């Protein structure tokens, strides 16, 4: 199935996608397209397009069984329900075509409510604000509730944003909407952050791609089910251009230091652009958008720098290196290794993979698949389908596998943390055994010894096991003890001779804001204050560091539910409400109290200790060197969304404006 129809543009927050061509195809074409569709989202979209809630029959409402090792196809609909859904969808498409492809007026609250209840299996009222925000048909509900020209037109106020990745672009867009002067600094020559930096072979999302997009910049034409790196980078470039963000960005400019001036109530940033001498500039507030996974973790192995061949970290992959015919070592078996190894195995002369802990693998047969042609056609021709499909993917992941990574203090079965976690383990082991039943040696090495969810799980469509089975591939589980000019030496005394070493060893996730020097009130150094244990109120603000806001800060990473874009958007909207409070009050600074921050962190710690990653005895980037899970959000998405709608000023000290409150 092919089509030469032009692809519609990004949605621009006006409540609907523009540019949808009319439906002219015959009945057979429509039936074929619908056979490849995601039905719950399609019925929801067609109900919006036609204004006909009769399409949302109880018999085709997706039952949404709990997610375990897999996601039930079509939301768990029976074969009979799927057939009825296709009949309804084809009939609605024919009527839409025959009526001139004229969509119904923008839906009112009653129709929107019916659609959301259908897709979510009657979610409770507590979810409605979140659901409206993510669907986006009632307008851009994440936009600031204020504008500087109305709130404080005569008050000078400027904001520095550090980083032009997913968080930084969200911040720049919201600041622009609020009419706040701002400058975005990025050390790279282009936007994208991690998606600009990571160019290793096979790099792609492990989150369904529609869910990995802004609510205010929805895209209906993703070509893959899990987007490749270049597709995400292109999307972020388009957002920067289409929303007019580029004039505010200073590329090739690294922020070296940020220092708070208590007398002037200003932040001084020291920056360096290219080879120029360092320069300084001053701002009323600073928003850090440097992310969590941007500082490479390169292991300090004895003799590392004596290696005679090439070596680099996976996030610093050199595209000029041709691996064809080389003997390659990949150190690590986490997410990046999981993508690199299958991508290079066919070109190298030899591949040695060094593993400390085997990854748990989630069955994902469609991980490398393109969007089916019929589905792609529907996304380009049916108004609202892209929004509804993004909403559907978001809802499926909103709670995700949280129930399956619970830690039951009474549970004693080895290798799991609760009855549900044990069931997830059994399912995943069955999936693994089916792939390597003919290789008992590999099965023993590839079987994790820790509970599922204690470390990041990888998406598996069979290519990892297939790569490790190749005759020129060796999976080594002996510890690496040293590196010599010829290669890598392991604890059993074996020298593994290689030409290229790739460190797929993850990131220093707990070292927030490094290598910047950040100095707050009374000359306190942020990194010395944290001492490797980053803490922030709501993951966003820090006591003693006024008007400093962190996006993707401590305890805001999601690892089994949702996506980082959702968390970045929520935090950005929270920051804008904090800035609005400052301007409304003509205040000079805002920061959380130590008591409120300690209480928040204690609550998050309590939640993390009820998750597999909080109790399992395994090395994971979820926890810092003190053993505390300082990176991960343990609760539901709706809880984070609710808490970030507006700041609780009782948790803050607000100074200036003729008063001080706390």
């Amino acid at each position: 199935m092919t089509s030469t129809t032009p692809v519609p543009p990004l949605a621009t927050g006006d409540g609907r996608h523009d540019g949808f061509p009319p439906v002219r195809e015959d009945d057979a074409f429509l039936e074929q397209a619908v056979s490849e569709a995601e039905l719950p989202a399609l019925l929801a979209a067609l109900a919006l397009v036609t204004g006909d809630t009769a399409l949302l029959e109880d018999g085709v409402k997706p039952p949404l069984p709990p997610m375990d090792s897999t996601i039930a196809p079509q939301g768990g609909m029976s074969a009979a329900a799927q057939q009825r859904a296709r009949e309804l969808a084809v009939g609605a498409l024919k009527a839409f075509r025959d009526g001139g492809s004229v969509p119904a007026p923008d839906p009112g609250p009653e129709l929107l409510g019916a659609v959301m209840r259908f897709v979510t299996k009657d979610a409770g009222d507590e979810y409605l604000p979140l659901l409206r925000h993510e669907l986006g048909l009632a307008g851009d509900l994440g936009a600031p509730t204020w504008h500087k020209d109305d709130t404080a037109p005569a008050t000078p106020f400027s904001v520095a944003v550090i980083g032009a990745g997913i968080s930084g672009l969200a911040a720049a867009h919201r600041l622009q909407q609020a009419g706040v002067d701002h400058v975005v600094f990025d050390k790279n020559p282009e936007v994208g952050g991690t998606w600009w930096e990571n160019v290793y072979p096979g790099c792609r999302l492990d989150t369904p791609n529609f869910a990995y997009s802004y609510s205010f910049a929805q895209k209906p034409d993703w070509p893959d089910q899990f987007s490749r790196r270049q597709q995400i980078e292109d999307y972020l470039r388009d957002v920067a251009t289409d929303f007019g963000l580029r004039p505010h960005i200073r590329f090739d400019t690294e922020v070296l230091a940020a220092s708070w001036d208590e007398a002037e109530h200003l932040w001084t940033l020291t920056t360096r652009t290219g080879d120029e001498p360092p320069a300084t500039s001053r701002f009323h507030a600073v928003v850090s958008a440097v992310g969590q996974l941007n500082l490479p973790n390169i292991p300090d192995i004895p003799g590392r720098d004596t290696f005679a061949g090439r070596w680099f970290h996976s996030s610093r992959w050199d595209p000029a290196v041709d691996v064809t015919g080389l003997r390659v070592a990949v150190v690590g078996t986490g997410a990046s290794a999981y993508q690199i190894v299958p991508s290079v195995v066919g070109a190298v002369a030899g591949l040695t993979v060094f593993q400390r802990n085997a990854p748990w693998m989630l069955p994902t047969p469609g991980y490398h698949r393109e969007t089916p042609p019929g589905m792609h056609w529907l996304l380009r021709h049916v108004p609202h389908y892209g929004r509804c499909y993004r909403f559907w993917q978001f809802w499926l992941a909103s709670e995700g596998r949280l129930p399956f990574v619970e830690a039951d203090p009474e549970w004693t079965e080895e290798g799991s943390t609760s009855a549900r976690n044990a069931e997830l383990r059994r399912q995943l082991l069955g999936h693994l055994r089916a792939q390597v039943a003919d290789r008992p040696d590999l099965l023993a090495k590839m079987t994790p010894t820790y509970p599922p969810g204690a470390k990041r799980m990888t998406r598996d469509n069979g290519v990892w096991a297939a790569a490790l089975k190749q005759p020129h591939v060796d999976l080594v589980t002996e510890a690496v003890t040293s590196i010599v000019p010829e290669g890598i030496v392991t604890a059993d005394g074996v020298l593994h001779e290689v030409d290229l070493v790739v460190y797929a060893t993850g990131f220093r996730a707990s070292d927030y804001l490094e290598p910047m020097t950040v100095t707050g009130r009374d000359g306190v150094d942020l990194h010395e204050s944290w001492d490797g244990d980053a803490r922030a109120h709501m993951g966003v603000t820090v006591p003693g560091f006024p008007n400093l806001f962190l996006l993707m800060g401590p305890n805001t990473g999601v690892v089994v539910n949702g996506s980082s874009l959702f968390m970045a958007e929520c935090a950005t909207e929270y920051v804008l409400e904090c800035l609005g409070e400052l301007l409304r009050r003509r205040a000079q600074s805002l920061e959380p109290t130590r008591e409120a921050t300690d209480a928040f962190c204690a609550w998050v710690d309590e939640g993390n200790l009820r998750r597999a990653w909080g109790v399992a005895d395994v090395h994971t980037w979820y926890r810092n060197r003190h053993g505390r899970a300082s990176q991960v959000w343990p609760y539901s998405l709706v809880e984070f969304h609710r808490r970030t709608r507006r700041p609780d000023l009782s948790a803050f000290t607000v100074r200036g404006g003729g008063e001080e409150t706390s």
Side-chain angles (χ1 to χ4, degrees):
M1 179 179 296
T2 60
S3 174
T4 58
T5 305
V7 175
L10 294 170
T12 54
D14 61 354
R16 60 191 298 164
H17 293 197
D18 295 323
F20 286 88
V23 175
R24 296 193 176 96
E25 285 72 10
D26 61 24
D27 292 359
F29 184 98
L30 299 182
E31 290 170 1
Q32 175 62 31
V34 170
S35 73
E36 298 178 353
E38 191 76 10
L39 294 170
L42 180 59
L43 288 177
L46 288 170
L48 293 169
V49 166
T50 62
D52 184 7
T53 57
L55 294 169
L56 310 178
E57 293 181 359
D58 285 344
V60 295
K61 181 181 289 186
L64 292 170
M67 181 189 301
D68 41 40
S69 65
T70 60
I71 301 175
Q74 304 289 3
M77 295 170 67
S78 68
Q82 291 182 43
Q83 180 58 36
R84 175 57 179 161
R86 292 188 181 98
E87 292 171 359
L88 290 169
V90 170
L93 277 169
K94 291 177 182 177
F96 181 60
R97 176 197 62 195
D98 298 343
S101 301
V102 179
D106 284 344
E110 185 174 343
L111 179 54
L112 278 176
V115 165
M116 289 190 292
R117 288 191 296 273
F118 173 79
V119 171
T120 63
K121 192 182 174 183
D122 298 316
D125 290 346
E126 72 274 15
Y127 281 92
L128 292 181
L130 168 61
L131 297 176
R132 294 190 187 100
H133 178 284
E134 290 305 301
L135 185 56
L137 272 168
D140 182 6
L141 300 184
T145 60
W146 56 276
H147 193 279
K148 187 177 182 302
D149 289 348
D150 302 321
T151 304
T155 303
F157 199 82
S158 61
V159 178
V161 179
I162 307 174
I166 60 171
S167 299
L169 293 180
H173 174 55
R174 296 306 189 196
L175 288 166
Q176 184 165 268
Q177 285 181 311
V180 175
D181 290 337
H182 62 281
V183 177
V184 182
F185 298 94
D186 197 283
K187 67 181 185 300
N188 297 323
E190 183 52 273
V191 302
T194 189
W195 297 107
W196 186 89
E197 294 173 351
N198 284 269
V199 297
Y200 62 78
C203 182
R204 67 168 62 217
L205 275 173
D206 57 10
T207 299
N209 52 20
F210 275 77
Y212 197 88
S213 60
Y214 297 115
S215 64
F216 60 81
Q218 298 192 27
K219 176 181 169 66
D221 61 325
W222 291 103
D224 287 350
Q225 297 185 28
F226 291 83
S227 292
R228 287 165 283 171
R229 180 204 70 83
Q230 188 62 57
Q231 294 163 354
I232 298 296
E233 183 187 348
D234 290 345
Y235 168 72
L236 294 173
R237 288 187 182 195
D238 288 345
V239 168
T241 300
D242 295 346
F243 287 86
L245 308 181
R246 290 185 179 276
H248 299 275
I249 304 174
R250 296 184 188 175
F251 291 113
D252 294 307
T253 301
E254 182 180 8
V255 176
L256 305 176
S259 179
W260 174 253
D261 185 331
E262 179 66 18
E264 298 292 331
H265 301 285
L266 292 170
W267 281 96
T268 299
L269 263 61
T270 303
T271 60
R272 180 171 54 215
T273 302
D275 296 329
E276 299 176 5
T280 60
S281 49
R282 311 198 83 185
F283 299 90
H284 297 88
V286 172
V287 177
S288 169
V290 298
Q292 289 187 351
L293 304 179
N294 67 316
L295 292 175
N297 177 39
I298 302 175
D300 187 16
I301 302 170
R304 185 186 68 195
D305 295 331
T306 69
F307 181 56
R310 290 289 308 275
W311 68 267
F312 43 71
H313 189 268
S314 59
S315 66
R316 301 295 184 265
W317 187 281
D318 185 353
V321 173
D322 182 1
V323 301
T324 302
L326 298 183
R327 299 167 300 172
V328 177
V330 175
V331 181
T333 53
S336 57
Y338 201 80
Q339 296 174 336
I340 291 169
V341 167
S343 300
V344 304
V345 67
V348 300
L351 183 59
T352 308
V353 181
F354 295 87
Q355 173 183 282
R356 176 168 52 181
N357 291 298
W360 281 111
M361 304 186 299
L362 291 169
T364 312
Y367 187 44
H368 288 167
R369 291 178 190 165
E370 295 181 350
T371 302
M375 177 82 170
H376 200 60
W377 182 90
L378 289 165
L379 287 164
R380 291 184 295 174
H381 285 76
V382 179
H384 310 307
Y385 190 24
R387 286 189 183 277
C388 289
Y389 187 47
R390 178 186 182 276
F391 180 78
W392 172 244
Q393 286 192 338
F394 169 82
W395 181 251
L396 290 176
S398 62
E399 300 299 341
R401 295 178 176 84
L402 275 179
F404 287 85
V405 295
E406 290 177 353
D408 179 356
E410 305 299 321
W411 188 256
T412 58
E413 184 177 307
E414 187 176 355
S416 58
T417 59
S418 66
R420 281 185 168 181
N421 189 251
E423 174 58 27
L424 177 60
R425 180 186 179 89
R426 283 190 285 272
Q427 292 180 20
L428 297 178
L429 281 176
H431 172 71
L432 173 62
R433 287 169 181 149
Q435 295 186 74
V436 293
D438 58 333
R439 289 286 302 275
D441 59 320
L442 273 182
L443 177 60
K445 291 180 177 181
M446 294 174 65
T447 300
T449 58
Y450 56 91
K455 291 170 64 72
R456 184 176 180 179
M457 294 183 281
T458 55
R459 296 280 184 178
D460 182 50
N461 61 349
V463 297
W464 176 253
L468 296 184
K469 286 182 176 182
Q470 295 296 310
H472 63 300
V473 178
D474 189 16
L475 178 63
V476 177
T477 56
E478 293 286 339
V480 173
T481 56
S482 65
I483 294 180
V484 295
E486 297 81 11
I488 297 176
V489 179
T490 46
D492 55 2
V494 174
L495 168 62
H496 305 267
E497 297 188 15
V498 295
D499 307 306
L500 171 68
V501 177
V502 179
Y503 292 103
T505 45
F507 299 88
R508 292 157 49 197
S510 61
D511 294 340
Y512 293 96
L513 290 125
E514 291 192 7
M516 281 187 291
T517 300
V518 183
T519 308
R521 180 179 291 110
D522 301 324
V524 174
D525 181 279
L526 179 63
H527 300 300
E528 291 181 2
S529 174
W530 276 344
D531 188 27
D533 184 14
R535 295 170 179 262
H537 185 261
M538 285 305 304
V540 177
T541 55
V542 184
F545 294 82
N547 297 1
L548 174 65
F549 304 94
L550 314 180
L551 303 181
M552 296 309 298
N555 288 119
T556 63
V558 285
V559 292
V560 293
N561 60 325
S563 77
S564 55
L565 257 82
F566 171 80
M567 300 297 280
E569 279 202 62
C570 287
T572 298
E573 292 158 18
Y574 180 77
V575 170
L576 266 292
E577 289 305 304
C578 288
L579 297 180
E581 288 293 342
L582 275 173
L583 289 168
R584 275 189 286 269
R585 294 166 179 265
R586 307 297 190 271
Q588 295 167 320
S589 69
L590 174 150
E591 65 182 283
T593 64
R594 179 70 61 183
E595 294 76 17
T597 303
D598 289 346
F600 171 79
C601 291
W603 175 71
V604 169
D605 289 348
E606 179 185 350
N608 276 321
L609 289 174
R610 296 201 298 268
R611 301 296 177 196
W613 56 76
V615 299
D617 184 19
V618 62
H619 178 82
T620 170
W621 64 261
Y622 299 172
R623 299 203 299 255
N624 60 34
R625 59 183 171 85
H626 298 280
R628 176 174 171 266
S630 58
Q631 283 72 264
V632 187
W633 175 254
Y635 299 110
S636 66
L637 300 187
V638 71
E639 183 67 27
F640 192 73
H641 181 266
R642 183 184 68 80
R643 287 172 172 261
T644 52
R645 292 311 83 202
R646 58 183 56 85
D648 175 7
L649 291 183
S650 67
F652 287 86
T653 297
V654 181
R655 294 184 173 88
E659 59 178 326
E660 178 174 323
T661 60
S662 62

